[in-house]
Amino acid sequence: MSANESVDDNRIELTIEYSDEVTEAFQATGEGWEDRINEVLKIWIREHNPSELKI
């Protein structure tokens, strides 16, 4: 399956890069760490407007 193909009805598989700090923190939580990143991002989206994030 290539990047951006649908994995199921609610998810899209893609390639993304995170900092070592983020990756190491979530990997340290064990199996399912990618799912936890997804959950954290969904919570953040409910509480913030991504277009207002200034980088």
Side-chain angles (χ1 to χ4, degrees):
M1 183 173 296
S2 65
N4 299 326
E5 286 189 45
S6 180
V7 173
D8 63 33
D9 293 348
N10 297 312
R11 297 182 83 147
I12 297 171
E13 183 176 303
L14 60 104
T15 300
I16 190 166
E17 295 180 8
Y18 293 108
S19 68
D20 290 340
E21 178 183 9
V22 170
T23 304
E24 290 169 5
F26 278 91
Q27 285 179 332
T29 66
E31 187 174 333
W33 65 272
E34 295 102 331
D35 294 326
R36 280 186 282 285
I37 290 175
N38 190 56
E39 290 304 312
V40 166
L41 290 171
K42 289 192 304 188
I43 292 167
W44 189 89
I45 288 170
R46 285 193 296 266
E47 298 175 0
H48 301 85
N49 182 342
S51 66
E52 294 175 358
L53 181 63
K54 305 299 180 217
I55 299 177

